Amino acid sequence: MEGSGLQGDAGHGGKDEEPVCKAGEVQALLFARAQELAGVSAVALEIQEGWTTANCFAAVVAKYPALKAISSCMMVALNHDYVTEPVLVKDGDELALIPPISGG
């Protein structure tokens, strides 16, 4: 997400990094065009200790590469509140990936 601080390294770690303990699961909901491109309305993400909304966003885009086409203009909400900077996530959190929606 351009300027939102939500894109970046998903924190999956390289071969030189120590393994990170699993911290739980986050439900990521996809709406409108994001749902169409991914072909799913929700995805369960296994998160690691210290993961943020940025890590979750990157993990969803990595799992559904078609989302790259709109990733720079999507908004992210964590537990029903929009976020523009990376925020730590915890087990049971709900993440929403919301692309621009036009209507009239």
Side-chain angles (χ1 to χ4, degrees):
M1 302 181 75
E2 195 121 12
S4 69
L6 293 177
Q7 285 187 321
D9 178 27
H12 293 283
K15 63 181 178 180
D16 295 333
E17 294 182 21
E18 291 185 27
V20 179
C21 295
K22 300 292 182 215
E25 188 175 277
V26 169
Q27 185 78 7
L29 307 176
L30 290 85
F31 296 93
R33 184 74 177 135
Q35 188 177 98
E36 292 170 9
L37 289 171
V40 297
S41 60
V43 60
L45 295 174
E46 214 172 87
I47 59 169
Q48 297 177 354
E49 188 75 30
W51 266 34
T52 66
T53 50
N55 299 112
C56 294
F57 182 86
V60 172
V61 172
K63 185 173 178 92
Y64 302 100
L67 293 174
K68 288 179 186 176
I70 61 170
S71 65
S72 67
C73 59
M74 279 197 283
M75 294 293 299
V76 174
L78 178 63
N79 299 323
H80 305 276
D81 292 321
Y82 284 103
V83 296
T84 57
E85 298 294 325
V87 177
L88 283 175
V89 294
K90 63 186 182 315
D91 184 42
D93 279 350
E94 181 182 83
L95 195 72
L97 305 182
I98 306 164
I101 301 172
S102 64

